[in-house]
Amino acid sequence: MAEKLRRLWQFIRRLSGDDAYERYLKHCATHHLGDINPPLSKKAYFKQRLEAKWSGINRCC
Amino acid sequence: MSLIMVQLRFTPLLIPMNKSFTTPLLWLLVATIGAAAVGGIALNRGESINALWFIIAALCCYALAYRFYAAWIASTVLMVDETRATPAERLENGHDFIPTDRWVVFGHHFAAIAGPGPLVGPTLAAQFGFLPGTLWILVGAVLGGCVQDMVTLFFSTRRNGKSLGQMARDELGIMGGVAALIGTFTIMVILIAVLGLVVVNAMKHSPWATFTVSATLPIAMLVGVYMRHLRPGQVLEASTVGVILLLIAVAGGGWVDGNPALRAWFDMDGLSLAWCIMAYGLAAAVMPVWLLLAPRDYLSTFMKLGTISLLAIALVLLHPDIKMPALTPFVDGSGPIFGGKLFPFVFITIACGAISGFHSLVASGTTPKLLANERDIRMIGYGAMLLESFVAIMAMIAATVLDPGVFFAINSPAGMVGAEAAQAVAKITAWGFPVSVGQMQRLAQQMGEATLFARTGGAPSLAVGMASIFGSVFGESLLALWYHFAIMFEAIFILTTLDAGTRVGRFMLQDMLGNIWPKMADTSWTPSVLITSTVVVACWGYFLYIGVIDPNGGVNILWPLFGIANQMLAAIALCVATGILVKSGRLRYAWITAAPLSWLIIVTGTAAYEKLTSSDLRVGFFAAAHDLSDKLAAGLLPAAKAAIAPQLIFNLYLDAYLTLFFVTVLLLVVLDMLKVSANSLLGRPVQPLSEVPHTPNRMTEQQLAQWGRD
């Protein structure tokens, strides 16, 4: 039960983008991007994500 | 939060099933129940029919279509290849190209495609009775809308997530690209105007609704500051705070409504509200996204998923009887909500929920950049549209469980039934839908409103329907709260569409002007931002203004115009898909997109023809313009109407030429597609397919399992 709840919580965090920064850090670590330029701060990361999200059509009727 | 899970649990039938469930016998059972339910709905005459049949019919249709038709298209026609690397995998950059869990992509895609359209369209189309709209929502979605979304998503995925306009240019030629661009811009303008009108009509002289909707702005800004500065990126925390504040704002509206001094502040007429919305649209378009648009979008998405789930649960628990007849006398074109016969106007009125061209822009933008594997295309492209179609079915139920007399009293404009309550009820009762002044007064009082007469646009009647459903299940005493909750819920995502649309329109305009003067394309140069935002707001503001001053209720003009524009965009997307199918040697399967395309050409063409040539004053633009000019010249108009008549006449001409323009653009794209197809079949040179070559998928099954795969 506890495991199920934990997975549900994880799913909700994933769906809402709550864990996006953690995944970004993981991505940087696994792809060794940090070797060239260090990962963005949490604030800067969300800023960039927001701008990317709202520069195109992502809501319709 | 668990509402999201409930929401997704609608679709267990849509998940590719394990072997034990796919026994032919079971599918035979689904088919039989589905056929019985659809048959029961279609052949029912006279006796009351239960809403549960609509839900059963819809779920059975969707399950069969998803299991057989969608699966066949994916495997045989598109030849979805799960060994092929998707753009998200090949171009992964941690920002826009990110391989993502398919349920998460499904959630994002659904949140992007499902706006207020599937709620408003079916409500308006209910004037023909429950049957035509319901059948079109089911058939249109399964054979048209879902196919359009899925093939567009597929073709865009194979082209690194290119936009529809870019694909049209690459595959059909410059004409297709330009048409898609212009189509997108005009549809945006008309969509925003009509949605603005829906909100204005919901807030007109309703201090409660006006307060609640206004309160959503500071709440969103608070959430924005929280997410940006106080606790960056804590999306769930901030959204929870926001949702709680929104619910407080709904209750607070009731308190404002009861306080005579505050009440006057929020008691506004239509025109003032329209100006407020324009001012707001301009402010929202130039304000940074993090402050208003992004946080409000989070709130509206949570509200949307939560409320739709709640509605589904309430409908199943309550399973109310449908009170609207299967067909009303208004199929002859005399309907009070909008003029025009059943054919073609039911197919124009219900765009979202059956087939919506706008979806092809989302399916060719953000979504293809997130797909972890091509095999998710069926679930996301086809499945998400099925869910939207289900939302449209629920809106149809919510409209038709009302007493038909009440439904028409709320939705008929004053120009149609008269401004006096007694006059209106007499007229509606004479149509065969009995209703009384007392009944309407009682209802308005229960909902916490001064009056519910002539609240056109669909939102108030949907809110009354939802409030009575929620009220019966979760407690009658809270009817007024439920009503204003429903209004807030509709307004919040209408406003999101409004600012997101204005922003996109601004970007498109900046891009276009950038070709003439490169400085204009700089999206952070303030003069350019201000000028282009003002132009976009002026464009939709004009239609909104005319819609508000038109005594016949602008919905009668604007909604069909929006429907025609949206179906035109769908036809362009289907042209692109058909062209690609023919060019890639799949002529024998091209009917999957050519059939819905042909239907759209017939429907849009007929509707446009009637809009231009009909002598019915409520249908034909030219007829109405001539009639009004003649009356104005002869001095037959009352002073108030004579003052606005020149504006109305100008607008009718403008609408007529706009319709003509849409049809011409559509025909040019279709001809372009036919030319490319014919050349390809005859072996003449055509634009080459722009598909990206096959790269093997490097993700192991284990990695895919990590993305939440079964």
Side-chain angles (χ1 to χ4, degrees):
Chain A
M1 186 62 197
E3 172 61 18
K4 269 191 179 161
L5 279 177
R6 199 185 61 81
R7 283 182 57 182
L8 174 67
W9 175 239
Q10 229 173 24
F11 180 78
I12 291 171
R13 289 196 66 207
R14 179 72 63 85
L15 192 64
S16 60
D18 205 50
D19 67 349
Y21 185 64
E22 291 151 48
R23 281 187 295 145
Y24 164 75
L25 287 183
K26 223 164 148 187
H27 170 84
C28 288
T30 53
H31 290 69
H32 306 290
L33 296 176
D35 304 348
I36 313 154
N37 30 13
L40 298 169
S41 72
K42 193 169 184 180
K43 201 167 166 180
Y45 171 75
F46 274 96
K47 192 175 160 200
Q48 193 184 50
R49 222 170 97 93
L50 205 72
E51 271 150 21
K53 185 177 174 185
W54 291 100
S55 58
I57 296 173
N58 67 351
R59 284 295 171 269
C60 21
C61 36
Chain B
M1 290 303 109
S2 66
L3 292 173
I4 294 166
M5 283 310 284
V6 176
Q7 169 72 21
L8 294 175
R9 224 176 280 147
F10 284 152
T11 44
L13 286 171
L14 309 178
I15 309 165
M17 293 109 209
N18 48 36
K19 288 282 179 281
S20 63
F21 194 65
T22 50
T23 51
L25 218 60
L26 217 88
W27 282 108
L28 201 64
L29 191 69
V30 173
T32 317
I33 296 173
V38 174
I41 295 169
L43 302 175
N44 169 72
R45 289 292 175 273
E47 316 125 58
S48 67
I49 182 164
N50 196 281
L52 217 47
W53 287 110
F54 285 67
I55 294 177
I56 293 171
L59 291 181
C60 290
C61 277
Y62 298 157
L64 288 167
Y66 185 79
R67 173 63 187 81
F68 296 103
Y69 191 47
W72 176 78
I73 293 177
S75 64
T76 310
V77 182
L78 302 178
M79 293 182 284
V80 163
D81 181 358
E82 55 184 63
T83 68
R84 195 183 181 110
T86 58
E89 185 191 337
R90 281 184 289 109
L91 309 174
E92 180 172 4
N93 59 7
H95 298 299
D96 49 351
F97 289 94
I98 315 166
T100 307
D101 177 293
R102 61 179 180 162
W103 281 107
V104 174
V105 185
F106 182 90
H108 284 204
H109 184 73
F110 176 71
I113 61 171
L119 298 173
V120 176
T123 309
L124 303 180
Q127 77 163 350
F128 293 128
F130 66 73
L131 189 57
T134 305
L135 290 182
W136 167 235
I137 292 169
L138 295 182
V139 177
V142 160
L143 299 180
C146 299
V147 176
Q148 175 209 249
D149 291 15
M150 178 162 78
V151 299
T152 310
L153 178 59
F154 174 80
F155 289 132
S156 176
T157 306
R158 284 277 172 102
R159 284 159 183 74
N160 286 346
K162 270 192 192 145
S163 68
L164 178 73
Q166 189 63 45
M167 286 198 287
R169 192 174 316 171
D170 293 348
E171 302 286 344
L172 299 181
I174 189 81
M175 181 62 218
V178 174
L181 191 72
I182 297 173
T184 312
F185 188 79
T186 37
I187 196 179
M188 205 83 83
V189 166
I190 295 171
L191 171 75
I192 296 174
V194 77
L195 290 179
L197 187 61
V198 170
V199 188
V200 166
N201 284 344
M203 300 197 296
K204 196 164 59 183
H205 293 299
S206 168
W208 189 333
T210 310
F211 171 80
T212 306
V213 175
S214 324
T216 62
L217 307 181
I219 293 173
M221 285 162 140
L222 194 71
V223 172
V225 172
Y226 190 101
M227 267 199 269
R228 177 80 158 199
H229 294 296
L230 299 180
R231 306 252 301 154
Q234 295 302 107
V235 172
L236 283 176
E237 236 173 70
S239 304
T240 311
V241 173
V243 168
I244 293 170
L245 288 175
L246 282 181
L247 297 178
I248 295 174
V250 173
W255 177 77
V256 168
D257 194 39
N259 181 322
L262 284 174
R263 199 176 189 286
W265 272 82
F266 292 98
D267 188 357
M268 294 166 88
D269 63 1
L271 206 52
S272 332
L273 284 167
W275 288 117
C276 289
I277 288 195
M278 284 180 239
Y280 160 76
L282 187 61
V286 295
M287 242 187 245
V289 261
W290 65 266
L291 185 58
L292 182 59
L293 183 51
R296 223 231 338 261
D297 182 60
Y298 275 111
L299 297 180
S300 85
T301 306
F302 282 116
M303 279 289 161
K304 181 157 63 189
L305 296 178
T307 310
I308 289 169
S309 321
L310 204 60
L311 185 60
I313 295 167
L315 277 178
V316 172
L317 287 179
L318 182 67
H319 50 83
D321 277 339
I322 302 290
K323 295 192 183 140
M324 181 71 79
L327 289 171
T328 65
F330 302 133
V331 293
D332 67 359
S334 60
I337 302 176
F338 57 92
K341 291 197 183 71
L342 179 66
F343 178 84
F345 286 100
V346 76
F347 305 102
I348 293 296
T349 309
I350 303 182
C352 314
I355 178 163
S356 164
F358 218 134
H359 293 188
S360 60
L361 302 175
V362 173
S364 64
T366 326
T367 311
K369 297 177 184 160
L370 299 175
L371 287 178
N373 191 292
E374 282 194 2
R375 62 184 163 188
D376 300 342
I377 283 175
R378 172 167 68 133
M379 173 181 149
I380 293 153
Y382 204 94
M385 176 62 199
L386 283 180
L387 192 55
E388 173 169 299
S389 171
F390 187 66
V391 172
I393 289 286
M394 289 199 291
M396 180 58 94
I397 295 174
T400 51
V401 296
L402 293 176
D403 270 324
V406 170
F407 171 81
F408 285 112
I410 300 174
N411 283 301
S412 304
M416 192 67 196
V417 292
E420 293 300 316
Q423 220 180 339
V425 294
K427 187 139 187 189
I428 293 164
T429 306
W431 285 333
F433 303 111
V435 61
S436 69
V437 177
Q439 191 183 359
M440 288 301 291
Q441 263 167 359
R442 211 163 37 248
L443 192 67
Q445 202 184 6
Q446 277 178 331
M447 300 296 162
E449 289 289 292
T451 175
L452 286 171
F453 279 106
R455 302 301 286 264
T456 58
S461 85
L462 180 67
V464 171
M466 278 168 65
S468 53
I469 291 166
F470 287 146
S472 314
V473 177
F474 307 109
E476 283 277 352
S477 58
L478 301 172
L479 269 177
L481 274 179
W482 281 119
Y483 173 85
H484 289 96
F485 172 78
I487 292 283
M488 182 272 288
F489 147 78
E490 289 172 83
I492 193 171
F493 61 97
I494 285 182
L495 291 181
T496 306
T497 307
L498 192 140
D499 351 313
T502 307
R503 262 185 96 75
V504 170
R506 185 193 108 192
F507 287 140
M508 291 173 78
L509 202 60
Q510 283 187 302
D511 200 37
M512 278 187 257
L513 292 175
N515 292 325
I516 306 163
W517 182 21
K519 185 84 179 138
M520 287 301 279
D522 178 359
T523 50
S524 52
W525 188 46
T526 314
S528 166
V529 170
L530 284 177
I531 293 169
T532 48
S533 302
T534 312
V535 172
V536 175
V537 173
C539 286
W540 60 255
Y542 163 77
F543 286 103
L544 173 59
Y545 169 79
I546 294 287
V548 171
I549 62 167
D550 186 347
N552 283 322
V555 173
N556 177 47
I557 287 182
L558 277 176
W559 194 264
L561 210 54
F562 159 62
I564 292 174
N566 201 358
Q567 305 296 48
M568 176 195 74
L569 200 56
I572 292 173
L574 289 169
C575 275
V576 173
T578 311
I580 295 177
L581 285 176
V582 173
K583 277 166 66 178
S584 56
R586 286 174 273 190
L587 175 67
R588 55 187 291 227
Y589 298 127
W591 59 266
I592 62 152
T593 50
L597 172 61
S598 314
W599 178 245
L600 286 186
I601 295 171
I602 294 171
V603 166
T604 327
T606 319
Y609 179 78
E610 289 195 14
K611 279 284 169 197
L612 294 174
T613 63
S614 171
S615 58
D616 181 341
L617 300 182
R618 297 180 56 240
V619 180
F621 287 133
F622 286 124
H626 295 157
D627 175 72
L628 210 53
S629 314
D630 292 347
K631 279 187 184 150
L632 184 65
L636 294 173
L637 294 175
K641 190 154 183 195
I644 55 167
Q647 285 169 309
L648 295 181
I649 294 167
F650 171 78
N651 182 55
L652 286 163
Y653 280 114
L654 179 68
D655 293 341
Y657 291 117
L658 210 51
T659 310
L660 201 60
F661 173 72
F662 288 153
V663 182
T664 315
V665 168
L666 173 60
L667 284 180
L668 287 174
V669 177
V670 171
L671 287 176
D672 231 13
M673 184 273 287
L674 290 176
K675 195 180 80 192
V676 169
S677 302
N679 283 343
S680 163
L681 292 173
L682 293 171
R684 293 194 203 127
V686 289
Q687 292 91 328
L689 285 170
S690 54
E691 192 170 291
V692 173
H694 180 284
T695 315
N697 188 340
R698 286 175 190 283
M699 284 206 194
T700 58
E701 279 304 314
Q702 200 189 358
Q703 270 176 312
L704 285 171
Q706 212 187 321
W707 297 114
R709 196 153 300 284
D710 44 355

